[in-house]
Amino acid sequence: SKVQQIATLEQLKTIGRELAMGSQGGFGQSKEFLDLVKSIGEARSKAEEDRIVLTEIETLKRRIAEPDTTRRKMKEYIIRLLYIEMLGHDASFGYIHAVKMTHCDSLILKRTGYLAVTLFLNEDHDLIILIVNTIQKDLKSDNYLVVCAALNAVCRLINEETIPAVLPQVVELLEHPKEAVRKKAVMALHRFYQRSSSSVSHLVSNFRKRLCDSDPGVMGATLCPLFDLITIDVNSYKDLVVSFVSILKQVAERRLPKSYDYHQMPAPFIQIKLLKILCLLGNGDKQSSEHMYTVVGDIMRKCDLTSNIGNAILYESICCVSSIHPNPKLIDAAADAISKFLKSDSHNLKYMGIDALGRLIKISPETAEQHQLAVIDCLEDPDDTLKRKTFELLYKMTKSTNVEVIVDRMIDYMISINDTHYKTETASRCVELAEQFAPSNNWFIQTMNKVFEHAGDLVNSKVAHNLMRLIAEGFGKDDDTADSQLRSSAVESYVCIIGEPKLPSAFLQVICWVLGEYGTVDGNYTASYVTGKLCDVAEAHSSDDTVKAYAVTALMKIYAFEIAAGRKLDMLPECQSLIEELSASHSTDLQQRAYELQAVIGLEAQAVENVMPVDASCEDIEIDKSLSFLDSYVQESFEKGAQPYIPESERYGAVNMSNFRNQDQHDASTHALRFEAYELPKPTIAGRTPTVSSSTELVPLVPDPQPTYAREIYQTPSVPSVSDTGSSEYKLRLDGVQKKWGRPNYSTPAPSNTNSDSHKTANGETQRDGAGNVKSRARDASYDSRRSPQVEISPEKQKLAASLFGGMSQSKNKQSGGGHKASKTTNRAAEKTHMVKEVTAPVQPTQDLLDMGEPTIVSSVSSVDPFKQLEGLLDITQDASAQSSGSVGATNAPDITSFYAEMSASGPNNIDGVDMISGLSGVSNRTPGGSTTIHTPQLNKGAIRKDSLEKDALVRQMGVTPSGQNPNLFSDLLG
Amino acid sequence: MPEHSTQAKCLLAQHNSAQQNASWPNTILPQQNRALFKDRIMRHGRRSSPSSFPTNNGTRQLSMIHFVLLISRQGKVRLTKWYSPYSQKERTKVLRELSGLILTRGPKLCNFVEWRGFKVVYKRYASLYFCMCVNQDDNELEILEVIHLFVEILDRYFGSVCELDLIFNFHKAYYILDEILIAGELQESSKKTVARLVAAQDSLVEAAKEEASSLSNIIAQAT
């Protein structure tokens, strides 16, 4: 019946098409443009497409240059330019016209102009300087749509150099009455912060202020910059933890307007952003984390697991749980969620499950065990993405018990893929794991051989150097026999492998070095055997100078060791000819090495031993940096009347040069171009200028500009040097702060254990504790029993599982039991502190700044009133920065509550299921001028069908036939 | 409360069916086209030199979303928006590589591809692939829903949107995208707010058009 339906629909479509043939218009574009799109759509090959576009470019070049082109036409040309640039062709000849179009007064043209420049120009394009003035003007426009268009361009085009030109206006727009403008201003300021954090660092307090904006959209947008700021400097934002938690709680409780709902979840995108922020704030901070436990737990419980967005929130919650200070209840919930992900049929969810598992095992390693079979399934999945993710998980859970299996698998995978990026990554991971967990020397050498054989040219040269150092130094244990064993097995395997064709250069370098250093040390191989091999390498890779250089040096070492040991030196004829050849080489490096070799073998044993001591690669060479051994020579020269040496920087000519350069730098840093107009200084501009230069006002705060720096330039150490040191000082400070916050390790919750013992006797809590433990143990058992009847699991898989996960089973369980108790008691302690705070904090429901629901609901049950705190903090920041931009903290409170009350008052019609649609139609009715372009979606699908029929007919008329290239052109994207 | 739950179910069902339809290939490509399609991919095969190309090597990336691409099933570009700086040459390369990677993937696999240290989240709607490139540690499911949000808003705006709408009105799709994402970050997640703002802009455009036409009428009458 469905087929029939489709058939009748098709018929209807054709009829509709015929009917609509007569109607006019067509996507509001000209015939020419439609023809262009059509012909490109029908192009059979890339070459044909290119030909069409090239003709189009010629046409446009001609048309655009015509003097009497109307603005309307120009708009269309620019859209056509956009189109050809989108197809990958160069439309730069038209950029200047797009720039011109932004100057137009009409909003349609301006909007097109801005769209074009944001798509055409990168932020370092020369033409941007021509737009800055227009942007400045538009940011002051009365029409908020013009301001919005300009702010869009600001976000894309304004670079470090031009930030000062628009910064004051953007800051002003943060207080704009229209929420759309405020939102974009926040994003623009965020962009500035990303571009050059120093130029807006004095303005970051504005983000805190916007966090309590009356509009949830602005609040949501503010979370982006705050997330960035917190990533860089967690410590300064700890005071916001309570506020974020409370906002998240309110969002999860559906206090935001209904229009933020998405697939039945309340404002999920805002929830996710907040969870990301909490994840940063709670990392390694027990106190902050304790505020979050309840709300994160609630969210995990409320997630709708049937929708994708619900799973997105759940995943973010797991990330949060595994980053903040561990809480056993939450960890259990996260583990449950992960097992749901992994058991799902959807590859996406499996992928997320693997990723989440990788995060959770950092704090709860025993979780991995439960999912061993699921993990192995994912490892053997045909989907490469999933496979890669699983390898990442394995990499994270590698230990000495399973390293062999994991690295072997990784190497197999590495050999099988072609993607250089991931080949490199996998190779370096293999190396890392092998270095860290290698069970035996032999295995280590074999593994490294495999890695280098297949990806030697891809791995970082540092990896090769590491390997050499490792062979030279051993594994760091003071066990000489083990070290020499390592070397012997390396030499042995390299002698075997050296003859193979197509070895990567980096690997050959390692081989040559090791053979030179240790080839004859243990006496298994004679000097002539090893030198013969080395000569073969040099001959086989005659085009690779580096390998040849390594080979020659290796030869030199072996001969030197022979001479030092007092053995008679008989050089192989091929070696002789090689040395002769190289001493006439084009490469001076090779020449030098060849001559050095010849010189060394000419010396007597005593001297050779000093020049080339055996196994001395790890010994430090002391370098006489001051060249003191030349002192007597210098003294002699002085006595003969030589001039003393003057450092380059002190010579006359150089002084001028450096001065010049310095001035230049200064000019660049305080932007060479003036963006302010040269007209009469209006009072507003005069008032604003101090804020622009306030970045330089920071300078006096730096107590002493480095004196050495000032002395170096033979000039008054005035403005340039000071401003330079100022900025560097500032940056330095930020770095220091960031480094303080390393990642602490959670896997051993030892200190809290003692804590739990002291609390143990408290009350019923401990009993519940015990029950919980029993329950979880019981669940484990049931899981096992559930797993056992599945007979279809192949023994191979089980073996793999055992080798991957087997090592971690017994001891960990006990530990986790202890952890349980510990955090549970701490949790209770947190509750206690909550109670205390509740008593002390004055409960003032009407002052609840950010309360997003109806004010009648008594929401102040939540422990502390966060907004009260927020208010306080705002005042503080204002005092500190001495920016008297109105006491926001004080005036905001009634304002916002009334706003949200209004929101909820107008809400009731939103309660029905089709809130979006009714809302939309309401909007389109209200907007002045009656928006005719918006196809108000109607409840019956029929109208939409009609719509698409008309559309269909139109394009037929245009001559675009869907039956040709792409029959899907007409199918609704949303089905 | 029961009322609420039933309605939730109803909408959910709608959503589910929409998703199913979306991921289901609507029509099967004719044989000849399929051959052509294969041919394309072969020619566009990845011959990449890793040098001088932005790859993600673990440093913190500025924006959340680096670029948005709309590619048709035939590998034709329908919309590109770059939030991180890429030269024209790099853009072509990215498009070539990603269409090679994504268009060849089977329907039941993950909607994510790892690529040069980034992750590309994609979703197919009818014959169009919507792709967004994000950082390693971003939430893929969220990005998937950002894509869906964009498509839902497009659908509302165009009235059951189809690929052809986006071909001929790609600039309008850009305007809408600019209201959802800015500088690679999600600026607004309320469909209503986005729709309202785009409608406001359009109404101004309409008003200007009417004004222009009435002006030309007056001139026509006068002369």
Side-chain angles (χ1 to χ4, degrees), chain A residues 308 348 383 944 951 968 973, chain B residues 27 110-111 145 160-161 165:
Chain A
N308 198 24
N348 286 351
D383 187 347
I944 296 172
K951 232 184 284 171
N968 281 330
L973 292 183
Chain B
T27 14
C110 289
N111 287 77
E145 289 309 296
S160 44
V161 64
D165 288 314

Side-chain angles (χ1 to χ4, degrees), chain A residues 828-839:
Chain A
R828 208 155 37 73
E831 277 167 27
K832 243 184 224 165
T833 52
H834 266 251
M835 295 257 285
V836 174
K837 272 186 194 162
E838 210 171 336
V839 175

Side-chain angles (χ1 to χ4, degrees), chain A residues 30-330:
Chain A
S30 79
K31 182 86 170 62
E32 275 178 327
F33 178 66
L34 295 176
D35 283 346
L36 169 73
V37 173
K38 186 188 133 197
S39 55
I40 284 175
E42 286 170 354
R44 290 266 150 187
S45 66
K46 184 86 183 129
E48 196 183 334
E49 186 186 303
D50 287 349
R51 248 193 330 272
I52 296 166
V53 173
L54 288 179
T55 4
E56 171 72 6
I57 288 176
E58 285 313 307
T59 324
L60 282 176
K61 267 187 188 161
R62 216 168 346 98
R63 294 281 190 78
I64 270 183
E66 282 170 11
D68 53 346
T69 315
T70 62
R71 285 170 159 188
R72 196 76 186 272
K73 269 263 169 254
M74 188 58 93
K75 182 187 157 214
E76 196 206 302
Y77 294 152
I78 282 172
I79 289 178
R80 278 155 75 176
L81 283 175
L82 281 178
Y83 190 73
I84 58 172
E85 181 133 318
M86 193 168 81
L87 294 177
H89 293 265
D90 179 43
S92 54
F93 64 90
Y95 288 178
I96 187 69
H97 297 280
V99 171
K100 262 199 223 157
M101 187 149 277
T102 61
H103 303 337
C104 291
D105 291 329
S106 138
L107 178 66
I108 338 167
L109 298 176
K110 197 180 265 304
R111 198 171 158 225
T112 313
Y114 274 132
L115 176 69
V117 289
T118 52
L119 290 169
F120 284 149
L121 309 180
N122 263 335
E123 52 160 35
D124 50 355
H125 201 282
D126 296 336
L127 287 177
I128 285 174
I129 223 74
L130 299 178
I131 311 171
V132 171
N133 200 326
T134 323
I135 290 181
Q136 279 183 322
K137 212 176 71 202
D138 288 344
L139 287 177
K140 287 180 200 149
S141 167
D142 298 336
N143 186 342
Y144 79 99
L145 293 171
V146 173
V147 182
C148 281
L151 279 173
N152 271 345
V154 164
C155 286
R156 174 76 187 138
L157 299 178
I158 295 298
N159 50 30
E160 200 173 346
E161 203 176 306
T162 40
I163 285 174
V166 293
L167 186 61
Q169 279 143 347
V170 169
V171 171
E172 220 166 76
L173 290 175
L174 289 170
E175 312 283 340
H176 196 275
K178 276 282 180 188
E179 62 276 358
V181 174
R182 290 201 300 274
K183 188 173 64 195
K184 283 182 197 285
V186 165
M187 298 310 272
L189 201 59
H190 178 208
R191 196 67 179 163
F192 295 164
Y193 181 78
Q194 289 177 334
R195 287 276 158 276
S196 123
S197 55
S198 57
S199 61
V200 291
S201 55
H202 57 295
L203 294 168
V204 289
S205 63
N206 279 298
F207 293 133
R208 285 166 175 262
K209 219 184 291 171
R210 282 299 128 219
L211 187 62
C212 24
D213 194 281
S214 58
D215 182 71
V218 182
M219 184 272 289
T222 314
L223 297 177
C224 299
L226 282 174
F227 175 75
D228 258 24
L229 289 167
I230 294 171
T231 316
I232 291 164
D233 175 17
V234 190
N235 213 16
S236 321
Y237 294 88
K238 293 280 183 186
D239 54 333
L240 286 179
V241 170
V242 187
S243 322
F244 284 129
V245 167
S246 147
I247 295 173
L248 182 56
K249 189 161 173 273
Q250 295 181 48
V251 172
E253 285 170 356
R254 300 182 181 270
R255 305 278 199 86
L256 284 192
K258 262 259 178 187
S259 67
Y260 281 86
D261 281 12
Y262 177 82
H263 297 175
Q264 269 72 56
M265 294 299 289
F269 297 103
I270 293 178
Q271 283 194 47
I272 288 173
K273 203 82 201 178
L274 281 166
L275 282 167
K276 279 185 179 163
I277 287 174
L278 292 186
C279 174
L280 294 173
L281 286 170
N283 189 330
D285 182 347
K286 198 172 159 209
Q287 211 185 346
S288 303
S289 302
E290 276 162 2
H291 291 293
M292 305 167 188
Y293 292 152
T294 327
V295 71
V296 175
D298 281 350
I299 285 174
M300 288 178 87
R301 228 173 304 118
K302 276 184 200 162
C303 276
D304 169 18
L305 296 178
T306 53
S307 74
N308 198 24
I309 192 70
N311 287 318
I313 297 177
L314 189 57
Y315 165 78
E316 205 58 60
S317 312
I318 300 172
C319 294
C320 186
V321 167
S322 30
S323 163
I324 62 178
H325 190 85
N327 171 291
K329 264 190 200 162
L330 288 181

